[in-house]
Amino acid sequence: MKAQLRLLSSCKSYKTSCNVLVSFVFVLLLSSCNIVKGVKSDEHLITKNTIIEDNKINNEERVNNIIIQKTNLGMDRFLGFRLPLRLHIYNLARPNIDSILQAKVLSDSSKVKWKTTLLSKKQFDREIQARKNFNSWLKRTGEAPSILDEEKTIKTANRLRKYYYTKGWFNNEVAYEIQRDSNKQAQVTYKITKNKPYILDSITPIISSPAIDSLYARFSKRSLLKKEEQYDESNFELERDRITTYLRNNGFYYFGKDYVGFFTDTIGTNHKVNTELVIANRSIRGDDSISVVPFKPYKIKEINIYTDENYTNQNQTIKDSITFKNYNLYSKNKLRFRPKALTDAVFINKGDKYSDLARSRTSRYLNDLQMFRYPSIQYVENEEDTTLTANIYLEPKKKYALSLDLDVSQSNIQTIGFSVTPGLKIRNVFRGAETLEISGIAAIGASEDSNDDDETFFDINEFGGNIRLVIPRLFTPFNTDSIIPKYMSPSTAINLSATSQQNIGLDKQTLSGLLSYNWQPTNTVTNTLELFNVQFVKNLNTSNYFGIYSNSFSRLNSIARNIGYINSDESLENPPNSYTLADTFIEDVLAGNTSLTSNDEDFITVNSIEERQQRLTENNLIFSSSFDYKKNRRTSLFDNDFSIFKWRVELAGNLLSNLSEIFGSSKNGDGNYEVFGVAFSQYFKTEIDYIKYFDLGRNNVFAFRSYAGVAIPYGNSNSIPFAESFFAGGPNDNRAWTAYNLGPGSSTTINEFNEANFKIHLSAEQRFGLFGNFKGALFIDAGNIWNVLDNVEDDAATLTGFSSLKDIAVGSGFGLRYDFDFFVLRFDTGFKTYDPSRDLGNRWFKDYNFRNAVYNIGINYPF
């Protein structure tokens, strides 16, 4: 209470900064004293659990999760006060709703008679039931108070003893203290004294099967049980798994981890642990007896691939078969696949020892082909010798698959848009397990384009097509198996696309082609090499530039009036809805045909507008190569303790530049080489992205993201193509600014689309559960964009050194999310916390209010 009052008091001197928080803190101030509303007079609400380990507080999640009786969600203090929202919701419910309704309503015959006359008996019953249902909903949605139960405290103490025992402190001591106060609240403190730990000493193997015993010297080298290290029970389980994995990958098909045991001795060893590693013989259960025999390694005798196995044809006879490189392929119809396409996906080889790894790699590769439904691999023991026959059953998917996607969208360019994307997928198109995807797009939309005299509502359209071929191997003229072996699931993608847009931006046609290679060295790492990526963008409606970039036109119009180039009641828009006069005005200013000189601020503004217009209306030819590295440590959708690292590097224009020099091509008036009449882009671009999640337990996650990217033009370019530049703001960036509205640097530009060639972005977000599927979040976003090593000369928009980092914008806010399981609907509110477009000393909390907030709606989390 006192801490909250001090917070309110401090806000008085920072009225502008705190007006968002006052009402929120006021509600908390009133509700925080009511958390024991549902606690009986002889009970106590647990408000805090503390674990003190050797006189130090232990906040490790693993240890604190041992506590059986948790505090209510949100009971831990945050910024000086508690936020047990679900507990407050539960406290709104009446514990004895039936008795209350009976006493206050149903027992009063006059009230019942009056209500049934007014509402009817049926409606009255519905009202009573609705009040009961709402009361039940409050209980279900909320969280009952966590009442102190000393029996559970004792059980927690015992569990803590067991936990520290498993970590090597066999003689640990655990005690607990309970502090109760007069407000029906209690705090529990667990005090742990670990004492001297036990250390691993000798490890003695006792192995029954000679075949396994002969391998012990080999697989014991990487043992997780190290002499002189502290005893840790988890290492014994990991060692059991490691030994099992090793043996199953070396032919021991029937081996399981139940055959591995550890027996420890600590009697009279002076805190030393002597261990016996026991690996038993194989047990074979018969009809009425169990026999024990030594384990033997198995080899692969035959590999049979059934290429079209399914439930409907299981009783049909084989009609087509072939033997290819020691693989037997069988088909009940005509064989649809080239043999090599299937055998390349199989890592099980004739004559090799049985291996779980070969089995799992084969299963993964077959699934990656996306040609078959649930590929199955089964082994059959050959009784005459210690060999196995591997049977691989494949059920092909349908050769053709149709798709149709419908979409409704809205943006700052169009008020509403509709699109349809039909698609056709053809599997095994060349009998080599290739996939050919053909798709198209047709879209219409409505805009507010002032250059369009047509009264047609839908004045935006886009049409295009895309062809993509995926080959399940590296399509190269030379063998790459020694560099990228097939267990990395290599694939090649060839993509061709063309689109034409009208009345979206400046109208443009786009042609692109791509040749890329993809492979996975490990389960967490993915590599993509785009060997050739060609993009050609032709802008069609360049005369409409000032119709789209209306802010630039308004600034030109204002300058023209101020210097008397046009009258105050005239416009550069002459004739109506045509902007040729604006271009004439720019030419006159830059040619010195007006009163402006090169030192005037308005002259510099006009020059800047002209440079931006030329850049955004020029046609682009990008011929690039790039490499992407991604390491994703997330194990599943439910994993909230992981990291993702992504790095991308791209080089554009080098090949065309070298060829132009070799063939002695001529340069245009700007000193640049051209291909098909277009100056190609040349630049270096790299991006680094790191995301880290910390699982704090109890539906609390702290997420962090850091990103940096730079694109440096050189050679044939002095600027970066608009499509390759960076922007800031938006629902997945700095949420206190709308997309393209932040930066560059501390400039105060009002361009519709602000972009630059260098970017830094940082985000931190605390996510927590509220009630049911509703989640909450508090976030801070920081970053900006700048120009660097290009043709922009505005100091405010340029990164000149570390001093420019003072222009990093900071936004903060809160979010509400609803989890639909398969996606998350997100609503975030961002406040400008530090605005670099303002003067130094006047940047913090100047627009920190709901009136100037930015509201973002998104699907799934921003990172």
Side-chain angles (χ1 to χ4, degrees):
M1 293 283 290
K2 292 181 179 179
Q4 294 159 354
L5 288 171
R6 286 196 298 269
L7 177 59
L8 286 174
S9 176
S10 64
C11 287
K12 293 180 181 179
S13 60
Y14 299 96
K15 183 176 180 180
T16 304
S17 305
C18 294
N19 58 356
V20 176
L21 301 175
V22 169
S23 58
F24 181 59
V25 174
F26 182 70
V27 171
L28 293 171
L29 180 63
L30 293 178
S31 62
S32 62
C33 300
N34 202 30
I35 57 176
V36 296
K37 177 181 178 181
V39 180
K40 297 178 182 179
S41 58
D42 60 340
E43 296 177 337
H44 289 80
L45 177 72
I46 297 181
T47 58
K48 188 176 183 180
N49 287 310
T50 305
I51 294 178
I52 298 179
E53 177 188 290
D54 290 342
N55 299 318
K56 293 182 180 180
I57 295 178
N58 189 327
N59 291 318
E60 294 180 21
E61 181 188 354
R62 174 66 185 88
V63 177
N64 281 267
N65 281 342
I66 296 174
I67 298 174
I68 297 174
Q69 195 171 28
K70 310 289 186 181
T71 59
N72 287 98
L73 188 65
M75 189 62 71
D76 296 332
R77 290 185 178 273
F78 181 78
L79 297 180
F81 44 79
R82 298 188 178 104
L83 300 170
L85 180 59
R86 292 186 63 188
L87 175 59
H88 288 306
I89 293 175
Y90 184 90
N91 285 338
L92 293 175
R94 308 302 292 269
N96 51 345
I97 186 66
D98 292 329
S99 301
I100 294 174
L101 291 174
Q102 180 65 35
K104 293 189 175 181
V105 180
L106 299 178
S107 63
D108 189 339
S109 58
S110 60
K111 182 179 292 187
V112 172
K113 182 179 180 180
W114 174 77
K115 285 203 169 190
T116 52
T117 302
L118 179 66
L119 300 175
S120 82
K121 179 66 167 60
K122 189 175 182 179
Q123 290 179 326
F124 173 71
D125 292 340
R126 286 181 177 176
E127 180 194 351
I128 296 297
Q129 188 60 44
R131 294 173 69 173
K132 293 180 180 179
N133 292 341
F134 179 69
N135 197 76
S136 298
W137 179 86
L138 289 174
K139 288 184 176 181
R140 290 194 310 270
T141 305
E143 182 183 31
S146 182
I147 304 300
L148 175 66
D149 184 343
E150 194 162 352
E151 288 297 323
K152 293 181 179 180
T153 304
I154 295 172
K155 290 181 180 178
T156 296
N158 290 332
R159 290 178 63 175
L160 286 169
R161 290 189 191 98
K162 292 178 181 178
Y163 170 77
Y164 282 93
Y165 184 95
T166 64
K167 295 301 179 182
W169 290 286
F170 294 168
N171 301 322
N172 72 81
E173 302 172 30
V174 179
Y176 66 87
E177 293 181 358
I178 300 176
Q179 295 179 321
R180 301 174 176 88
D181 62 24
S182 58
N183 291 327
K184 298 190 290 185
Q185 298 181 24
Q187 297 184 9
V188 182
T189 302
Y190 299 93
K191 296 184 177 180
I192 298 154
T193 304
K194 295 184 296 186
N195 293 320
K196 187 177 180 179
Y198 277 72
I199 306 300
L200 292 179
D201 192 21
S202 64
I203 301 175
T204 305
I206 303 175
I207 303 173
S208 300
S209 300
I212 296 178
D213 187 47
S214 66
L215 295 176
Y216 176 75
R218 190 181 304 172
F219 66 74
S220 63
K221 292 180 179 179
R222 297 188 178 182
S223 175
L224 301 176
L225 304 178
K226 306 292 185 182
K227 191 175 181 178
E228 302 301 328
E229 287 190 357
Q230 184 170 328
Y231 175 93
D232 189 335
E233 190 173 290
S234 61
N235 286 338
F236 285 81
E237 186 63 28
L238 293 173
E239 177 68 2
R240 180 181 286 110
D241 291 337
R242 190 193 69 83
I243 292 173
T244 302
T245 298
Y246 179 88
L247 294 177
R248 287 188 61 83
N249 284 329
N250 280 272
F252 295 92
Y253 174 67
Y254 288 104
F255 193 85
K257 69 177 183 178
D258 291 340
Y259 290 103
V260 182
F262 295 98
F263 298 90
T264 58
D265 179 23
T266 59
I267 299 176
T269 60
N270 191 26
H271 290 83
K272 300 287 186 180
V273 179
N274 297 319
T275 305
E276 290 182 348
L277 164 62
V278 178
I279 301 179
N281 278 330
R282 177 188 172 194
S283 298
I284 303 176
R285 183 180 296 275
D287 293 336
D288 54 2
S289 64
I290 297 177
S291 59
V292 178
V293 298
F295 279 102
K296 295 180 180 180
Y298 284 78
K299 289 187 176 182
I300 305 300
K301 185 176 183 178
E302 295 287 342
I303 302 128
N304 301 319
I305 304 175
Y306 298 90
T307 64
D308 57 353
E309 189 75 14
N310 58 55
Y311 179 78
T312 59
N313 68 5
Q314 58 183 334
N315 296 321
Q316 294 181 14
T317 59
I318 300 296
K319 294 182 180 179
D320 193 1
S321 64
I322 188 174
T323 298
F324 180 80
K325 292 184 178 180
N326 295 324
Y327 296 94
N328 304 316
L329 288 83
Y330 301 99
S331 178
K332 296 180 179 179
N333 296 289
K334 185 178 179 181
L335 186 61
R336 292 167 48 184
F337 295 86
R338 290 201 306 272
K340 189 177 187 301
L342 298 182
T343 58
D344 277 355
V346 179
F347 294 83
I348 305 166
N349 298 309
K350 185 175 181 178
D352 284 357
K353 292 180 179 179
Y354 168 82
S355 170
D356 272 355
L357 181 60
R359 180 178 186 167
S360 62
R361 283 176 173 175
T362 300
S363 181
R364 191 187 77 171
Y365 201 115
L366 289 170
N367 278 292
D368 288 344
L369 290 178
Q370 298 185 17
M371 293 284 137
F372 310 102
R373 293 188 181 91
Y374 313 114
S376 173
I377 304 173
Q378 300 177 12
Y379 290 86
V380 178
E381 181 182 357
N382 300 305
E383 296 182 358
E384 66 274 10
D385 53 20
T386 55
T387 62
L388 300 171
T389 295
N391 295 319
I392 301 173
Y393 298 96
L394 306 176
E395 181 185 352
K397 294 180 179 180
K398 291 182 179 180
K399 186 178 183 65
Y400 301 98
L402 294 172
S403 63
L404 183 66
D405 293 331
L406 303 174
D407 187 38
V408 180
S409 60
Q410 187 274 336
S411 70
N412 56 349
I413 294 176
Q414 60 182 9
T415 55
I416 190 170
F418 303 91
S419 67
V420 55
T421 307
L424 171 65
K425 177 183 286 188
I426 307 175
R427 298 185 178 92
N428 195 33
V429 63
F430 301 122
R431 298 185 64 240
E434 305 91 353
T435 301
L436 180 66
E437 299 178 27
I438 303 173
S439 63
I441 183 172
I444 58 173
S447 73
E448 298 178 356
D449 189 347
S450 60
N451 192 41
D452 194 351
D453 294 327
D454 192 350
E455 296 181 356
T456 303
F457 180 73
F458 291 108
D459 57 349
I460 290 175
N461 64 71
E462 178 182 4
F463 299 96
N466 185 80
I467 300 176
R468 179 179 177 84
L469 176 66
V470 178
I471 304 171
R473 53 195 167 275
L474 296 187
F475 186 67
T476 63
F478 46 87
N479 193 320
T480 59
D481 290 346
S482 60
I483 303 173
I484 304 175
K486 67 177 185 178
Y487 75 80
M488 295 184 181
S489 298
S491 65
T492 302
I494 302 173
N495 197 88
L496 298 173
S497 65
T499 59
S500 178
Q501 299 175 344
Q502 291 185 1
N503 291 323
I504 298 179
L506 299 176
D507 298 354
K508 64 181 180 180
Q509 292 176 342
T510 303
L511 297 173
S512 64
L514 172 69
L515 172 62
S516 68
Y517 302 116
N518 182 280
W519 66 97
Q520 294 179 268
T522 68
N523 291 332
T524 60
V525 175
T526 301
N527 293 327
T528 301
L529 173 64
E530 293 184 355
L531 191 61
F532 300 115
N533 189 342
V534 184
Q535 301 176 59
F536 175 70
V537 180
K538 182 179 181 181
N539 292 302
L540 302 177
N541 192 14
T542 57
S543 62
N544 189 37
Y545 176 84
F546 290 112
I548 299 299
Y549 298 93
S550 56
N551 287 338
S552 295
F553 175 76
S554 297
R555 289 156 73 187
L556 286 177
N557 215 37
S558 177
I559 293 173
R561 288 172 178 169
N562 290 340
I563 66 173
Y565 188 86
I566 57 175
N567 296 327
S568 58
D569 58 345
E570 293 180 333
S571 172
L572 294 176
E573 186 180 357
N574 183 30
N577 296 324
S578 174
Y579 296 88
T580 55
L581 190 56
D583 293 318
T584 303
F585 173 63
I586 293 176
E587 293 174 2
D588 287 341
V589 170
L590 300 182
N593 297 331
T594 66
S595 58
L596 295 176
T597 65
S598 58
N599 295 325
D600 293 333
E601 183 177 345
D602 286 343
F603 183 96
I604 297 173
T605 299
V606 173
N607 185 64
S608 175
I609 291 174
E610 192 273 339
E611 289 180 349
R612 180 175 172 83
Q613 180 189 9
Q614 291 298 321
R615 178 163 174 261
L616 297 184
T617 58
E618 67 181 0
N619 297 329
N620 295 128
L621 175 61
I622 303 173
F623 196 108
S624 66
S625 299
S626 66
F627 176 76
D628 287 82
Y629 173 89
K630 179 179 180 180
K631 187 168 188 176
N632 187 349
R633 295 182 180 273
R634 190 170 197 178
T635 57
S636 69
L637 291 175
F638 305 101
D639 183 9
N640 284 319
D641 197 344
F642 65 92
S643 64
I644 300 176
F645 175 78
K646 293 185 284 187
W647 174 59
R648 175 180 172 85
V649 60
E650 179 182 1
L651 285 170
N654 287 358
L655 179 61
L656 294 181
S657 179
N658 291 333
L659 290 176
S660 298
E661 291 181 4
I662 292 173
F663 292 106
S665 301
S666 59
K667 296 184 178 181
N668 61 18
D670 296 324
N672 297 325
Y673 292 115
E674 292 185 345
V675 176
F676 303 122
V678 179
F680 57 85
S681 299
Q682 191 170 7
Y683 59 86
F684 165 81
K685 183 177 182 180
T686 187
E687 300 169 81
I688 297 177
D689 195 359
Y690 178 75
I691 296 172
K692 175 63 180 175
Y693 276 44
F694 299 90
D695 192 341
L696 305 180
R698 306 188 69 186
N699 213 14
N700 281 265
V701 176
F702 179 78
F704 170 80
R705 182 193 183 198
S706 59
Y707 171 90
V710 62
I712 302 174
Y714 65 94
N716 212 54
S717 299
N718 56 14
S719 64
I720 297 299
F722 181 83
E724 298 295 330
S725 60
F726 302 103
F727 71 92
N732 297 320
D733 198 80
N734 198 320
R735 286 161 278 186
W737 281 263
T738 57
Y740 291 97
N741 195 38
L742 173 60
S746 61
S747 60
T748 56
T749 174
I750 57 172
N751 291 328
E752 288 83 355
F753 302 99
N754 294 302
E755 44 79 37
N757 66 329
F758 178 73
K759 178 177 180 177
I760 293 177
H761 175 74
L762 302 168
S763 278
E765 186 167 285
Q766 177 70 44
R767 300 167 186 168
F768 48 87
L770 293 176
F771 50 86
N773 288 335
F774 282 99
K775 316 289 182 182
L778 300 173
F779 61 83
I780 296 177
D781 301 322
N784 207 334
I785 56 174
W786 293 267
N787 291 95
V788 57
L789 300 176
D790 62 1
N791 60 348
V792 175
E793 299 178 355
D794 184 1
D795 289 339
T798 304
L799 184 74
T800 57
F802 285 106
S803 61
S804 297
L805 297 182
K806 68 180 182 299
D807 297 329
I808 288 181
V810 179
S812 59
F814 60 89
L816 180 67
R817 292 85 189 272
Y818 188 85
D819 191 345
F820 287 94
D821 292 332
F822 52 94
F823 75 93
V824 175
L825 180 63
R826 172 167 55 93
F827 178 79
D828 290 331
T829 302
F831 303 94
K832 293 179 177 62
T833 309
Y834 179 86
D835 188 351
S837 66
R838 291 178 170 270
D839 295 333
L840 283 172
N842 193 38
R843 294 180 172 182
W844 286 101
F845 298 105
K846 292 306 176 183
D847 291 316
Y848 205 86
N849 51 59
F850 283 103
R851 181 167 52 87
N852 291 295
V854 173
Y855 303 95
N856 301 279
I857 297 177
I859 301 296
N860 293 328
Y861 292 109
F863 57 91

